[in-house]
Amino acid sequence: MDLGIEGRIALVAASTGGLGLAVATALAAEGARVVVTGRSLEKARQAAADLPGAVARELDVDDPDAPGRVIDEVAATLGPVDILVTNGPGPAPSTARATSAEAFEAAAARLFLPQQRMIAAALPAMTAGGWGRILAVGSSGVVAPLPGLAASNVARAALAAYLKTLAGEVAADGITANLLLPGRIATDRTASLDAAAATRRGLDLETVQEESRSSIPARRYGRPDEFGAAAAFLCSERASYITGVALRCDGGLVPVL
């Protein structure tokens, strides 16, 4: 299937590794001009070097001015951003009872506010051009809050509510806004969560991973490229009538419709 995004400018946040890199790789394979971003410009350059036509930009989500600045820089050098994929590192595991107000604020500052700023900066050009794709990399905790990840659950739910509201406002402008929710995808983040669970429960890592795999109907962790393929479709011309949805890429893990 021709996804119809060849030549489109696609900025992918936090794309030097993990799910962000998987999305950037899939978009580049479809002919999009990908902007790889990360806190480290050197790592962004290394990742971009492996993708056809990709460029690198430094993007520190802890700097409130950075999202708008990067969007403007890309527009000035490559052209307006057509496809915006928001992404960010999850906070440390924590229970709801043990999570402080400050920790919740920090999670929102990492997982909601930078994404909102990037979207706000990219929207005017998308609206003027009559075409745009906004996709947030979220978590299955949006639809089924995950035990021990209270701060992540809350902050990601805020972003989901924002995007659902936004989707209804911009659909007539040819802009879609969706979320893609990973389950257990084989990334460094998943490995770190497994390791933390093993330590917390006093079990070896393989036991924890086998328990996790057995809870997934597909009986395995997902591959990053599988997640990237789903993201590329949602960012495509072919997905022009899909907006305001939270699509799970989880091997059937979450037991809700």
Side-chain angles (χ1 to χ4, degrees):
M1 181 186 294
D2 178 3
L3 295 187
I5 55 175
E6 185 172 358
R8 292 287 189 183
I9 306 300
L11 187 150
V12 184
S15 50
T16 60
L19 297 179
L21 180 57
V23 174
T25 300
L27 291 172
E30 294 297 328
R33 186 78 187 276
V34 175
V35 182
V36 176
T37 70
R39 189 185 304 272
S40 166
L41 181 57
E42 181 57 32
K43 288 184 178 180
R45 285 172 173 163
Q46 290 172 359
D50 294 329
L51 304 180
V55 299
R57 292 292 185 275
E58 180 180 348
L59 176 56
D60 182 355
V61 297
D62 291 329
D63 177 359
D65 296 325
R69 184 171 63 245
V70 171
I71 293 288
D72 290 344
E73 288 176 358
V74 171
T77 56
L78 301 178
V81 172
D82 301 300
I83 298 168
L84 175 62
V85 181
T86 72
N87 184 29
S94 62
T95 63
R97 289 192 300 177
T99 304
S100 66
E102 290 76 16
F104 280 121
E105 288 178 350
R110 180 65 62 86
L111 293 175
F112 172 58
L113 295 177
Q115 288 82 347
Q116 187 277 330
R117 292 182 180 114
M118 277 188 278
I119 292 166
L123 269 177
M126 290 182 179
T127 302
W131 197 96
R133 297 291 180 267
I134 298 167
L135 180 67
V137 176
S139 163
S140 59
V142 167
V143 293
L146 299 167
L149 290 176
S152 176
N153 292 335
V154 170
R156 293 187 192 279
L159 178 60
Y162 168 73
L163 285 174
K164 179 61 176 177
T165 306
L166 179 69
E169 298 173 2
V170 301
D173 297 318
I175 302 168
T176 68
N178 296 298
L179 293 100
L180 185 57
L181 311 180
R184 306 288 290 174
I185 310 294
T187 63
D188 290 343
R189 167 71 171 172
T190 298
S192 69
L193 291 175
D194 285 343
T199 299
R200 184 173 64 252
R201 297 172 60 194
L203 299 173
D204 63 87
L205 180 59
E206 180 54 37
T207 297
V208 169
Q209 291 175 329
E210 181 54 38
E211 286 182 357
S212 183
R213 286 190 291 267
S214 68
S215 71
I216 303 169
R219 295 296 186 267
R220 64 178 179 86
Y221 288 2
R223 302 191 311 271
D225 69 284
E226 293 173 310
F227 186 88
F233 175 74
L234 289 175
C235 292
S236 76
E237 178 63 30
R238 305 297 164 244
S240 58
Y241 206 57
I242 300 173
T243 193
V245 305
L247 176 68
R248 297 194 302 277
C249 182
D250 66 356
L253 173 63
V254 179
V256 298
L257 289 174

